[in-house]
Amino acid sequence: MLPRVYIRSPVDDDWSTLLDLHQRSADYHSPWAEPAKNEEGCRRYIHRCHTEPFEGMLIWHAIDHRLVGVANLSQIFYGSFQNAYLGYYGNVDYAGQGLMTEGVKLVLNHAFNSLKLHRIEANIQPGNTASIKLIKRLGFAHEGFSRQYLKINGEWRDHERWALTVDNWLR
């Protein structure tokens, strides 16, 4: 079966495509995420992808080459930790088609095989059932609950902590 999606790092010219996804999917992302809603914010995100211990990946539809979503590996640590935090959000136009699961799977392959990370952690708000289902499909294990973990849309929000190690990924 041919892949339905592919991933790549964003380039400077992607800012307008990214902004379009953010604006059209704003209601879909709320209250779970707050992606940039202006050109400056999208350009800052692309710059961050190339300057920090951060890997931002755009997930593209393999046939129509439209943007399906975004997945990020942030706070990448090496040495004895070899860990990163996973975040992702999708395009409302592709919701429920399994494309984000396929795209995040490619990002995890990159994390474990190219970056040689040992562990990926995802923190998800308890009410974000679609995101929790996605992470479960990829083999993440529930590890705990963090009260007022991240400030999103101006509010400190509780999160469930999910993690996956390379050993479990390879099974």
Side-chain angles (χ1 to χ4, degrees), residues 89-162:
Y89 55 89
N91 183 334
V92 67
D93 296 340
Y94 293 107
Q97 298 179 32
L99 296 171
M100 280 301 294
T101 301
E102 292 176 32
V104 173
K105 183 176 182 178
L106 293 174
V107 171
L108 292 171
N109 277 329
H110 173 69
F112 291 130
N113 298 319
S114 299
L115 300 179
K116 304 295 185 200
L117 296 176
H118 171 73
R119 184 176 190 279
I120 305 296
E121 186 174 311
N123 291 283
I124 303 167
Q125 293 174 64
N128 191 345
T129 55
S131 189
I132 290 171
K133 286 178 184 177
L134 184 154
I135 219 75
K136 283 182 176 180
R137 280 192 296 274
L138 294 171
F140 279 69
H142 186 257
E143 291 192 333
F145 184 82
S146 301
R147 296 189 188 285
Q148 298 183 353
Y149 181 71
L150 286 174
K151 193 173 195 178
I152 299 174
N153 293 322
E155 292 185 33
W156 288 102
R157 300 185 187 265
D158 297 342
H159 283 70
E160 292 183 11
R161 191 173 52 262
W162 295 80

